[in-house]
């Protein structure tokens, strides 16, 4: 389906074509028509599926068609990186319209605060905000959200994981009840469903497959002891001399520095940098910019980057360890092969990571190839297939707790 088949304004179509979006992605095809009617939407879609455009295009269409007085649209996101990225995409789509937007997130520069405050006071149309910083502004009384018509909760599962539920409820208390609400989440865990039930009105539920890495990602894994991992990275890089953009993920912030220095020591002349939530905001932005510009070949990151961050042309994702949360695997791996491109993801599995990796394989419904460790690296731990524990079905006789067991009777009648 092409974008001109949606009922959207020429100004948006022109911008969409400048952005080289030709065909709508599956989530866009399903959800944009629903969102254009003003219905609430509950969408289960992982990042990399085109979910951002799915909510931005209907919001912009409403603003172009029905005018935009003051702050009409609020997009709440878990991280500042995601806020910046959505704002950039929005600036592309709204290029031929007079929609204004601002990304609002915590930082350490006073100037940021002042420019965010100005955006609220001036009634910037679309605010893309992280919960904590938004509440800080709301409490000071100058934010007017009475004209709000759209609320988006993006990566709702992540926001719940990060403990933002109370913040979200507080934010809701500041905005009109009559509005369109769109909620996006990579998983539909019961607590997401609960949140959805409490804030969406007759939502249309849209789901595009369960969270699985995109088709274009070649996934494999090595069993390895921790002391073998850096040598393994060297080996992988030697085997793939063309790769110029690589992310190495680790769950542990403390490991970032030691991985970076070990790589520097082992591979002379390689450009490698680390990034984690401990870095100052401007430091994080600079590191990301250098990586995006391919000045840095290898970025070592924690899961801060694994969700939502959209950097094109990443050839390889290495999971230095197996993420604790199976959904994080999908997010990490999703950093490569963005928007139909090809990419590779290699995971290092140590002995104690085996049960976690088995859980991931169940989530993605696929057994990932385990490649043998190169001989020069020595013996590797051995992979064991772990079957999920099956609950034994209890057999109940003709009577259960003193009552007739209907299932028993039925079964007998059938026989
Ligand atoms: P998202 O899931 O919103 O983070 O989008 C992932 C990437 O795909 C972003 O770089 C988008 O700009 C890009 N993208 C989204 N929809 C399309 C589309 N219909 N055609 C081409 N690229 C797209």
């Amino acid at each position: 389906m092409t974008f001109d088949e949606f009922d959207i304004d020429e100004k948006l179509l022109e911008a969409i074509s400048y952005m080289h979006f030709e065909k709508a992605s599956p989530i866009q095809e399903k959800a944009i028509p629903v969102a254009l009617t003003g219905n609430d939407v509950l969408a289960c879609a992982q990042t990399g599926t085109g979910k951002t455009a799915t909510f931005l295009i209907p919001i912009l269409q409403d603003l172009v068609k029905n005018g935009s007085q003051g702050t009409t649209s609020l997009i709440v996101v878990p991280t500042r990186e995601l806020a910046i990225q959505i704002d950039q995409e929005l600036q592309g789509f709204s290029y031929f319209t007079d929609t204004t937007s601002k990304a609002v997130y915590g930082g350490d520069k006073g100037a940021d605060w002042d420019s965010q405050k100005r955006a609220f006071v001036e009634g910037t149309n679309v605010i893309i905000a992280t919960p904590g910083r938004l509440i800080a502004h709301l409490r000071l009384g100058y934010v007017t959200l009475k004209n709000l018509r759209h609320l988006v909760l993006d990566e709702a599962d992540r926001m719940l994981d990060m403990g933002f539920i109370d913040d979200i409820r507080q934010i809701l208390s500041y905005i009109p009840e009559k509005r369109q609400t769109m909620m996006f989440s990579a998983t539909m865990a019961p607590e997401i469903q609960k949140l959805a039930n409490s804030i969406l009105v007759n939502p249309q539920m849209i789901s595009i497959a369960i969270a699985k890495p995109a088709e274009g990602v070649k996934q494999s894994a090595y069993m390895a002891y921790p002391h073998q991992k850096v040598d393994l990275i060297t080996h992988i890089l030697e085997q793939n001399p063309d790769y110029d953009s690589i992310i190495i993920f680790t769950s542990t912030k403390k490991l970032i520095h030691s991985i970076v220095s070990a790589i520097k020591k082992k591979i002379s002349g390689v450009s490698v940098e680390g990034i984690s939530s401990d870095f100052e905001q401007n430091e994080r932005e600079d590191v990301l910019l250098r990586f995006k510009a391919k000045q840095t070949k290898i970025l070592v990151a924690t899961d801060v980057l694994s969700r939502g961050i959209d950097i094109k042309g990443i050839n390889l994702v290495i999971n230095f360890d197996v993420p604790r949360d199976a959904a994080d695997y999908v997010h990490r791996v999703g950093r490569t092969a963005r928007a139909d491109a090809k990419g590779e993801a290699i995971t290092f599995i140590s002995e104690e990571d085996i049960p976690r990796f088995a859980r991931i394989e169940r989530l993605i419904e696929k057994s990932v190839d385990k490649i043998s460790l190169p001989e020069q690296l020595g013996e590797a731990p051995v992979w064991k297939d772990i079957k999920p524990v099956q609950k034994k079905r209890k057999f109940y006789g003709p009577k259960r707790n003193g009552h007739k067991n209907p299932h028993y009777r039925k079964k007998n009648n059938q026989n």
Side-chain angles (χ1 to χ4, degrees):
M1 184 175 188
T2 53
F3 284 89
D4 52 10
E5 291 175 65
F6 296 123
D7 189 13
I8 49 180
D9 195 275
E10 272 304 318
K11 290 187 202 127
L12 297 179
L13 286 175
E14 199 174 348
I16 290 168
S17 124
Y18 271 102
M19 289 172 77
H20 304 290
F21 282 28
E22 281 155 20
K23 272 175 51 207
S25 69
I27 185 82
Q28 290 161 357
E29 201 169 317
K30 279 192 181 173
I32 290 179
V34 178
L36 284 171
T37 64
N39 233 298
D40 281 4
V41 170
L42 173 60
C44 184
Q46 64 198 93
T47 106
T49 53
K51 65 185 172 61
T52 314
T54 305
F55 55 81
L56 288 181
I57 292 173
I59 289 177
L60 288 170
Q61 170 62 18
D62 183 42
L63 299 191
V64 171
K65 190 171 158 207
N66 300 315
S68 49
Q69 269 277 309
T71 300
T72 55
S73 319
L74 175 63
I75 301 166
V76 185
V77 298
T79 63
R80 36 187 139 183
E81 281 81 8
L82 190 56
I84 296 169
Q85 188 181 297
I86 293 175
D87 190 29
Q88 284 166 348
E89 193 156 337
L90 185 134
Q91 285 175 24
F93 289 130
S94 62
Y95 191 77
F96 299 106
T97 74
D98 31 2
T99 307
T100 51
S101 68
K102 178 81 181 165
V104 170
Y105 47 84
D108 32 35
K109 288 182 255 168
D112 283 348
W113 177 273
D114 293 341
S115 80
Q116 291 169 6
K117 178 176 174 185
R118 218 169 27 252
F120 282 117
V121 172
E122 288 169 359
T124 297
N125 302 137
V126 185
I127 299 283
I128 307 114
T130 52
R133 178 54 72 102
L134 175 59
I135 288 176
H137 283 288
L138 284 169
R139 285 195 181 134
L140 293 174
Y142 45 75
V143 182
T144 314
L145 296 177
K146 65 176 191 316
N147 293 330
L148 202 88
R149 314 205 289 260
H150 317 107
L151 170 71
V152 176
L153 298 182
D154 193 17
E155 305 209 343
D157 50 341
R158 184 64 159 181
M159 290 203 274
L160 294 194
D161 285 352
M162 291 168 81
F164 285 143
I165 183 71
D166 292 338
D167 289 357
I168 291 171
R169 296 218 179 275
Q170 252 195 70
I171 293 166
L172 288 168
S173 71
Y174 285 89
I175 61 181
E177 277 188 15
K178 194 170 165 335
R179 57 168 198 258
Q180 179 182 31
T181 309
M182 296 185 256
M183 193 164 136
F184 289 76
S185 176
T187 58
M188 274 303 143
E191 61 273 28
I192 294 288
Q193 203 70 52
K194 205 168 134 202
L195 177 67
N197 290 345
S198 67
I199 64 169
L200 300 172
V201 181
N202 294 330
Q204 184 117 359
M205 165 86 196
I206 291 153
S207 171
I208 51 147
I210 60 153
K212 278 188 200 157
E215 291 292 322
V217 187
K218 181 177 159 222
Q219 301 169 66
S220 60
Y222 286 95
M223 293 298 301
Y225 291 109
H227 70 272
Q228 296 168 317
K229 291 182 176 177
V230 174
D231 287 326
L232 190 49
I233 293 176
T234 317
H235 167 79
I236 293 169
L237 295 188
E238 278 166 5
Q239 292 224 309
N240 299 286
D242 301 342
Y243 285 179
D244 58 357
S245 192
I246 298 163
I247 296 193
I248 300 175
F249 281 114
T250 168
S251 317
T252 322
K253 275 192 238 173
K254 278 194 231 133
L255 273 184
I256 300 259
H257 181 68
S258 56
I259 299 174
V260 169
S261 17
I263 292 176
K264 274 190 182 151
K265 229 155 105 194
K266 291 256 162 144
I267 312 171
S268 67
V270 72
S271 50
V272 49
E273 289 197 84
I275 189 170
S276 84
S277 53
D278 282 351
F279 285 47
E280 299 288 347
Q281 168 65 10
N282 45 358
E283 229 179 321
R284 277 159 72 165
E285 279 168 25
D286 290 349
V287 172
L288 272 183
L289 273 178
R290 283 193 290 273
F291 184 62
K292 272 187 192 179
K294 300 224 162 49
Q295 289 162 6
T296 306
K297 175 169 167 171
I298 305 175
L299 187 65
V300 184
T302 49
D303 284 295
V304 164
L305 271 199
S306 79
R307 300 227 179 191
I309 292 309
D310 182 29
I311 298 174
K312 293 205 169 65
I314 294 172
N315 320 105
L316 171 66
V317 167
I318 295 179
N319 292 316
F320 197 81
D321 40 44
V322 177
R324 269 171 230 133
D325 175 356
D328 274 337
Y329 175 83
V330 180
H331 290 291
R332 287 181 178 193
V333 166
R335 297 313 93 208
T336 184
R338 309 287 290 162
D340 281 348
K342 294 249 178 293
E344 183 167 5
I346 302 178
T347 304
F348 297 170
I349 310 171
S350 60
E351 240 171 345
E352 73 263 21
D353 278 341
I354 294 177
R356 275 191 207 150
F357 201 74
R359 215 161 43 231
I360 288 169
E361 291 188 325
R362 284 201 294 281
L363 173 80
I364 63 174
E365 295 177 337
K366 184 184 161 113
S367 155
V368 173
D369 278 347
K370 318 284 177 315
I371 309 174
S372 310
L373 207 60
E375 242 172 56
Q376 70 271 21
L377 296 192
E379 283 279 311
V382 182
W383 171 260
K384 299 188 272 285
D385 273 317
I386 298 180
K387 296 265 175 297
V389 184
Q390 294 275 347
K391 275 197 184 152
K392 266 197 182 159
R393 287 187 62 184
K394 284 188 182 150
F395 173 76
Y396 294 111
K399 281 205 170 175
R400 188 176 164 195
N401 302 335
H403 299 284
K404 271 190 178 170
N405 175 358
H407 304 291
Y408 180 83
R409 198 176 55 210
K410 208 168 162 189
K411 204 173 164 198
N412 273 2
N413 287 346
Q414 278 165 358
N415 286 340

